Amino acid sequence: MAIKVSIDASGGDYGISITIVAGIKALDIFSDLELVFVGDKFSIQTELNKHHSSQKFSKRFSIVHASEIIAMDESPSSALRKKKDASMRVAINLVKDNTVNACVSAGNTGALMAISRFVLKTIEGIDRPAIMGRMPTMYGYTHMLDLGANVDSKPKSLVEFATMGSITVKYTENINSPTVGLLNIGEEEMKGSDNTKKTSELLKNSNLNYVGFIEGDDNSLAHRTTWLRSDLMDLKVILHLKLVKVWR
């Protein structure tokens, strides 16, 4: 069964010159993939004509015209209100209309979250969307969320993120009961902010395979499948630790 994905071709720092090349490579790698490139039709076709290899995939991609582009520094609220024919908005609309199974965009993250939430809504039991990243470790991969969709999350939202992450890992990594850890300044129960401690209590009483607090070092992360950050400072800490290890 083919998987059909809409691509915000005009989005991102470099737009069509990069997204079209990436799309062609994806079609070459995944034989069951079909793409819908969304953006200025003339510009997309011009870029496709530069790549002769795209001709052999012509039956597996199509183009949908969109007359507007959301800039990388544009206000998400402004993009949501004013740019209804932006490539990102049109690509997301194709998901809502069941024309495609998913949408991919390298564009303005804030706008992507705002428009997706407005157009697609959230499923029952989930209040906020979250961004998840897949990070390599010594023993495979660990998954981290949220990576920027929310600046400050309440305990209830963090449990929702844990649920989404756990389910995603279960089906994408074929792990029946993924472990879940909560990023903290230490593994001891008495450490952390009130928000972090409340989140931990909720996770303990959930149906998730919660293993407790974890620290932002490789030894802790290597054995965890999914981990949560409770605020933006956690992300800064983990990035700092990674950079220190790189430079050493």
Side-chain angles (χ1 to χ4, degrees):
M1 181 179 177
I3 299 172
K4 200 166 188 178
V5 178
S6 61
I7 304 293
D8 171 18
S10 298
D13 293 316
Y14 302 101
I16 289 173
S17 64
I18 294 298
T19 54
I20 298 302
V21 174
I24 294 171
K25 287 183 178 180
L27 289 168
D28 190 33
I29 295 170
F30 303 103
S31 59
D32 59 345
L33 179 65
E34 295 180 7
L35 297 179
V36 180
F37 293 113
V38 183
D40 180 74
K41 187 173 183 178
F42 177 79
S43 298
I44 292 173
Q45 189 60 63
T46 299
E47 186 64 31
L48 284 168
N49 292 341
K50 296 179 183 178
H51 306 279
H52 299 298
S53 59
S54 67
Q55 296 177 4
K56 63 180 178 180
F57 305 120
S58 60
K59 293 183 179 180
R60 290 169 50 205
F61 70 78
S62 58
I63 302 172
V64 171
H65 180 71
S67 61
E68 298 175 306
I69 300 173
I70 297 174
M72 294 299 285
D73 59 351
E74 193 163 346
S75 163
S77 58
S78 175
L80 177 62
R81 293 194 312 269
K82 298 179 180 179
K83 292 194 172 177
K84 297 183 179 179
D85 197 44
S87 56
M88 181 187 293
R89 178 71 173 262
V90 175
I92 293 170
N93 285 342
L94 293 175
V95 178
K96 182 182 179 181
D97 298 340
N98 293 318
T99 302
V100 299
N101 304 111
C103 167
V104 172
S105 174
N108 184 316
T109 305
L112 181 63
M113 293 295 101
I115 294 172
S116 296
R117 187 175 182 183
F118 178 78
V119 174
L120 303 176
K121 314 303 180 187
T122 56
I123 61 175
E124 185 177 352
I126 301 297
D127 181 52
R128 293 184 177 188
I131 298 173
M132 184 169 74
R134 187 171 182 254
M135 302 175 64
T137 71
M138 292 173 62
Y139 303 98
Y141 292 91
T142 191
H143 299 72
M144 180 182 179
L145 67 168
D146 170 47
L147 289 177
N150 305 277
V151 176
D152 185 22
S153 301
K154 296 179 179 179
K156 179 178 178 294
S157 294
L158 287 167
V159 175
E160 292 174 2
F161 298 165
T163 301
M164 290 190 288
S166 182
I167 291 173
T168 301
V169 171
K170 177 180 179 178
Y171 288 101
T172 59
E173 306 289 343
N174 295 314
I175 299 173
N176 187 49
S177 182
T179 55
V180 175
L182 181 61
L183 187 62
N184 195 15
I185 57 175
E187 296 184 1
E188 297 82 3
E189 289 289 328
M190 77 287 294
K191 291 186 177 180
S193 65
D194 288 341
N195 193 61
T196 302
K197 292 176 182 177
K198 289 177 182 177
T199 302
S200 184
E201 288 302 313
L202 290 176
L203 288 168
K204 286 177 183 177
N205 295 315
S206 71
N207 294 323
L208 300 170
N209 186 10
Y210 178 57
V211 296
F213 294 139
I214 59 173
E215 294 183 74
D217 61 77
D218 288 341
N219 291 331
S220 293
L221 301 179
H223 299 282
R224 306 292 189 247
T225 307
T226 306
W227 49 286
L228 305 165
R229 47 161 285 267
S230 57
D231 57 47
L232 198 57
M233 185 55 67
D234 291 339
L235 183 55
K236 292 179 181 177
V237 170
I238 196 67
L239 289 175
H240 175 72
L241 284 168
K242 294 295 182 185
L243 286 171
V244 169
K245 290 181 180 295
V246 168
W247 285 110
R248 284 182 180 174

